[in-house]
């Protein structure tokens, strides 16, 4: 994909309407020069417009459907929860309605953000791969460009790995627990006691307050574990939503009759896949006595009522849905409340006016749509991720954008914001012109997706596909470990079927659409250098399924 020269240059230098702070800085500079030809360092500093800071708020599995600012974007439009602090960013910034991930699974998404490259080129195709930290990444380039870089929270690109390209890192080890997480501080293991979402926020605020170099612009990745499975709420949020009923998606009891084999053979349903731990019928294993007491006080009465009710069939699925959703939304409430603390800090210190704040998630998640939890599919709930950006003076408050953008574009965007050249081998494109409300005429009109992690947990078949935001063509393909060697295609019309309930692949009425998308798919695979054979990193030996006895209800 060609990138315009302008897109590689500094956003704050090239062309977008000058933010108010630049005008102020220029005026101060003019005064300073008039009074004293040899201005001292402080005056020089004041005279030079400072490059923007970047605060990247990254959650894990946060569904766009569970952000109130995105309620109208979801095909279901359910009023699931309120997220006032995330909504504030949307109100003061830009909400992207078609931000797609290239491979909807945790580690691979993170590797795409680091590199600006698809999984087949950055080498991280499946969870369990280890990220090659020696390769080119955007934080390394920002460091060279004079930025101070830090990552705090979830890393998930290698179990005991010190992130490369960061002046400071304090990261969870692997997935990390919801309570009392040991973390790696610049490679040294340190214990923590408390709730992980709050601890990560405390660490991020501590870094901003005490370790940030005020002489340099910063890029801080503030990355939550929440709301990843098993959705364990923190002490303050344990009983939130106890007195409400969460609305159900009308596809909760989907029978997959309009789709091919893969939807029938997955293992990610609320009905069959959730464990006792997912459902909080047993407490987490690593709580302190005080934490356990609070936990049991919140859950035991509810669990006792559940056991007595002896629910069956759809009633049992409905109960599981309520339990799942309330815990999931409780984890998000903690994220949103803690984000409020960070936004308040930016306001109090004046950092807000020169800091680009991004709120996004590694990918989105199923909240009962099609009867599912988890992600992986190219279907809408896991292809699209929330992406909100606030940049005072550049982004018009309360704006929305429907262009196809991607986590593939984040690295390029951060470099462009910082005025650092974007390397040619990155595969995305800076979003800065979109921030300014100007979409280039040659912006992408279609998007390539590929998921590799099969056979594996949740049994979602390998697939790749293309979408133009209206239509979606998906190819489920076999590999050497595949117990089912079938080769199937699906085609969806999101205009008439936004919930993707019926594939129209092979329907003569969609012949022209199908042919166009097949051509587009071939073109994108060629341009993106997708190999014919899946990369070695994607080939995993099949793991034995968990014994049925432990798979609860
Ligand atoms: Ca994830």
């Amino acid at each position: 994909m060609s990138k315009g020269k302008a897109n590689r240059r500094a956003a704050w230098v090239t062309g977008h309407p000058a933010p108010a702070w630049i005008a102020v800085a220029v005026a101060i500079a003019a005064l300073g020069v008039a009074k004293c030809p040899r201005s001292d360092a402080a005056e020089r500093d004041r005279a030079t417009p400072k490059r923007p800071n970047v605060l990247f708020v990254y959650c894990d599995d946060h569904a766009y459907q569970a952000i109130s600012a995105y309620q109208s974007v979801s095909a279901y439009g359910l009023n699931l929860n309120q997220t006032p602090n995330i909504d504030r960013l949307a109100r003061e910034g830009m909400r992207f309605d078609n931000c797609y991930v290239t491979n909807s699974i945790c580690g691979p998404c993170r590797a795409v953000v680091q590199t600006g490259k698809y999984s087949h080129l950055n080498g991280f195709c499946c969870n369990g791969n280890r990220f090659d930290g020696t390769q080119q990444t955007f934080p390394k380039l920002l460091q060279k460009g004079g930025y101070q870089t830090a990552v705090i929270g979830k890393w998930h690109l290698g179990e005991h790995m010190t992130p490369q390209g960061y002046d400071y890192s304090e990261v969870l080890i692997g997935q990390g627990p919801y309570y009392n997480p040991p973390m790696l501080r610049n490679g040294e293991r340190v214990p923590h006691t408390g709730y992980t979402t709050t601890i990560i926020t405390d660490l991020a605020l501590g870094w901003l307050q005490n370790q940030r170099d005020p002489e340099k612009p910063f890029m801080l990745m503030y990355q939550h574990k929440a709301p990843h499975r098993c959705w364990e709420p923190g002490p303050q949020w344990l009983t939130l939503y106890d007195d409400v009923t969460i609305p159900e998606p009308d596809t909760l009891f989907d029978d997959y009759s309009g789709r091919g084999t893969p939807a029938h053979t997955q293992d990610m349903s609320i009905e069959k896949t959730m464990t006792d731990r997912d459902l909080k019928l047993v407490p987490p294993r690593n709580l302190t006595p005080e934490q356990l007491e609070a936990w049991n006080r919140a859950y035991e009465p509810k669990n006792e009522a559940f056991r007595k009710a002896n629910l069956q069939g759809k009633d049992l699925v409905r109960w599981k849905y309520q339990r799942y959703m309330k815990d999931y939304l409780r984890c998000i409430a903690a994220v949103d409340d803690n984000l409020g603390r960070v936004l308040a800090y930016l306001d109090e210190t004046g950092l807000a006016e020169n800091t680009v704040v991004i709120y996004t998630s590694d990918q989105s998640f199923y909240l009962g749509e099609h009867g599912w939890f988890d992600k992986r599919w190219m279907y809408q709930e896991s292809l699209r991720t929330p992406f909100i950006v606030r940049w005072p003076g550049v982004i018009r408050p309360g704006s929305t954008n429907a262009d196809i953008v991607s986590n593939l574009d984040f690295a390029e965007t951060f470099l462009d914001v910082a005025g650092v050249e974007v390397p040619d081998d990155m595969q995305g494109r800076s979003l800065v012109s979109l921030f300014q409300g100007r979409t280039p005429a040659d912006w992408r009109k279609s998007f390539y997706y590929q998921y590799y992690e099969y056979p594996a947990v949740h049994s979602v078949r390998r697939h790749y596909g293309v979408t133009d935001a209206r239509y979606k063509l998906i190819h489920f393909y076999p590999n050497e470990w595949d117990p089912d060697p079938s080769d199937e295609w699906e085609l969806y019309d999101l205009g008439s079927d936004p919930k993707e309930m019926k594939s129209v692949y092979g329907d003569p009425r969609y012949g022209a659409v199908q042919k166009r998308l097949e051509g587009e798919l071939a073109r994108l695979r060629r341009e993106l250098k997708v190999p014919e054979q899946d990369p070695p990193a994607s080939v995993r030996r099949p793991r034995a399924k968990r014994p049925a006895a432990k798979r609860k209800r």
Side-chain angles (χ1 to χ4, degrees):
M1 185 178 296
S2 69
K3 302 183 194 78
K5 190 82 178 168
N7 278 317
R8 297 181 197 170
R9 294 169 55 199
W12 51 280
V13 175
T14 58
H16 60 60
W21 54 266
I22 288 185
V24 172
V26 169
I28 291 169
L31 282 171
V33 168
K35 278 166 64 180
C36 175
R38 296 181 62 205
S39 59
D40 61 26
E43 282 182 332
R44 206 167 51 235
D45 188 46
R46 281 181 2 200
T48 310
K50 286 189 172 172
R51 291 186 287 172
N53 307 304
V54 176
L55 175 64
F56 183 68
V57 188
Y58 202 45
C59 275
D60 193 332
D61 295 359
H62 190 171
Y64 60 85
Q65 310 94 293
I67 294 175
S68 31
Y70 269 96
Q71 190 185 327
S72 62
V73 177
S74 161
Y76 296 81
L78 301 176
N79 181 14
L80 297 175
N81 63 337
Q82 293 299 311
T83 49
N85 293 297
I86 302 169
D87 289 10
R88 179 187 164 191
L89 290 176
R91 203 167 57 244
E92 296 174 356
M94 183 177 276
R95 186 193 74 206
F96 285 83
D97 292 350
N98 286 311
C99 182
Y100 298 154
V101 297
T102 64
N103 177 4
S104 188
I105 182 83
C106 310
C109 286
R110 291 155 196 271
V112 169
V113 171
Q114 291 292 311
T115 60
K117 293 176 185 172
Y118 272 83
S119 307
H120 61 269
L121 293 187
N122 68 41
F124 200 108
C125 296
C126 304
N127 280 344
N129 288 162
R130 188 176 173 83
F131 185 64
D132 172 10
T134 64
Q135 68 186 297
Q136 169 185 281
T137 63
F138 88 84
K140 290 182 190 173
L141 296 170
L142 282 185
Q143 269 185 324
K144 278 189 199 149
Y147 270 62
Q148 189 185 17
T149 60
V151 56
I152 294 170
K154 189 156 180 180
W155 175 243
H156 202 205
L157 285 170
E159 185 87 347
H160 291 277
M161 179 178 176
T162 305
Q164 290 174 257
Y166 297 90
D167 297 307
Y168 182 87
S169 65
E170 185 150 2
V171 294
L172 296 173
I173 299 166
Q175 286 285 356
Y178 270 99
Y179 282 81
N180 313 324
M183 295 178 78
L184 290 181
R185 180 183 296 161
N186 298 325
E188 294 288 319
R189 187 184 169 104
V190 288
H192 290 285
T193 303
Y195 190 55
T196 301
T197 300
T198 304
I199 290 168
I200 289 171
T201 306
D202 290 344
L203 292 172
L205 287 169
W207 184 84
L208 284 168
Q209 206 155 10
N210 305 318
Q211 284 159 288
R212 187 173 66 81
D213 177 354
E215 299 299 314
K216 285 182 173 182
F218 69 82
M219 189 284 298
L220 169 61
M221 303 183 89
Y222 160 50
Q223 311 201 130
H224 287 295
K225 181 224 169 43
H228 191 278
R229 193 182 185 187
C230 311
W231 322 294
E232 292 169 5
Q236 293 159 255
W237 299 273
L238 284 168
T239 56
L240 183 67
Y241 305 120
D242 262 5
D243 53 352
V244 299
T245 302
I246 308 295
E248 292 172 5
D250 57 11
T251 59
L252 182 60
F253 296 101
D254 192 353
D255 64 2
Y256 317 117
S257 57
R259 278 132 296 164
T261 314
H264 292 82
T265 56
Q266 45 67 36
D267 182 17
M268 51 184 273
S269 72
I270 291 172
E271 179 185 4
K272 293 178 180 159
T273 313
M274 285 193 168
T275 64
D276 280 3
R277 197 174 158 215
D278 289 332
L279 294 167
K280 315 300 177 312
L281 296 171
V282 293
R285 300 186 192 103
N286 68 331
L287 303 184
T288 65
E290 295 77 21
Q291 290 164 349
L292 182 62
E293 194 189 336
W295 183 278
N296 285 336
R297 207 164 43 239
Y299 282 98
E300 266 313 309
K302 291 179 276 192
N303 289 347
E304 191 54 35
F306 164 70
R307 289 188 194 100
K308 275 189 187 152
N310 191 28
L311 301 172
Q312 304 293 329
K314 285 190 174 180
D315 290 339
L316 179 57
V317 176
R318 291 203 153 100
W319 180 86
K320 289 184 185 182
Y321 172 76
Q322 291 296 322
R323 174 57 59 95
Y324 158 48
M325 284 300 295
K326 289 180 183 183
D327 288 334
Y328 181 86
L329 297 175
R330 286 165 183 145
C331 291
I332 288 169
V335 167
D336 191 75
D337 287 353
N338 276 291
L339 175 64
R341 295 167 60 207
V342 174
L343 296 182
Y345 178 81
L346 296 181
D347 289 340
E348 286 157 16
T349 53
L351 280 170
E353 64 186 83
N354 195 32
T355 300
V356 183
V357 181
I358 293 112
Y359 189 90
T360 185
S361 175
D362 58 351
Q363 19 65 215
S364 185
F365 212 66
Y366 291 89
L367 303 182
E369 300 91 352
H370 310 295
W372 294 339
F373 67 99
D374 213 71
K375 52 261 181 177
R376 299 164 196 271
W377 305 91
M378 196 189 169
Y379 302 138
Q380 209 67 353
E381 285 73 24
S382 41
L383 174 66
R384 172 163 59 195
T385 201
F387 180 54
I388 297 170
V389 186
R390 183 182 78 177
W391 188 357
V394 175
I395 289 179
R396 187 168 58 83
S399 50
T400 59
N401 178 294
D403 296 316
I404 299 176
V405 305
S406 171
N407 58 351
L408 189 69
D409 302 322
F410 294 174
E412 295 83 339
T413 302
F414 300 150
L415 294 172
D416 196 9
V417 163
V420 174
E421 187 167 353
V422 179
D424 281 336
D425 63 350
M426 286 189 174
Q427 295 181 298
R429 188 166 173 181
S430 167
L431 300 170
V432 167
S433 55
L434 279 63
F435 294 166
Q436 296 159 2
R438 295 186 285 105
T439 303
D442 61 348
W443 192 257
R444 71 166 73 82
K445 302 287 191 294
S446 64
F447 181 78
Y448 180 75
Y449 178 87
Q450 187 156 15
Y451 171 78
Y452 301 92
E453 197 171 302
Y454 183 88
V457 62
H458 296 310
S459 293
V460 173
R461 292 280 305 277
R462 288 175 184 239
H463 57 290
Y464 60 79
V466 62
T467 182
D468 61 4
R470 166 66 194 262
Y471 300 102
K472 190 184 292 180
L473 178 69
I474 309 176
H475 182 203
F476 294 94
Y477 64 97
N479 82 327
E480 62 180 305
W481 300 108
D482 203 331
D484 171 7
S486 63
D487 200 282
E488 296 182 34
W489 292 79
E490 294 180 355
L491 177 66
Y492 293 95
D493 177 353
L494 294 168
S496 62
D497 180 23
K499 295 174 185 171
E500 297 162 299
M501 298 297 282
K502 182 168 175 48
S503 169
V504 292
Y505 186 81
D507 181 334
R509 288 170 297 178
Y510 286 90
V513 169
Q514 190 175 308
K515 194 167 176 206
R516 178 169 61 77
L517 286 185
E518 283 166 352
E520 199 57 11
L521 185 61
R523 180 186 71 81
L524 286 170
R525 281 176 64 89
R526 210 167 40 243
E527 280 189 14
L528 296 168
K529 302 183 173 67
V530 181
E532 277 305 309
Q533 296 294 319
D534 285 353
S538 79
V539 178
R540 294 151 53 101
R541 290 183 174 277
R543 275 192 296 192
K545 280 196 163 187
R546 286 171 291 169
K550 289 195 176 171
R551 294 158 51 82
K552 193 65 181 177
R553 296 179 180 83

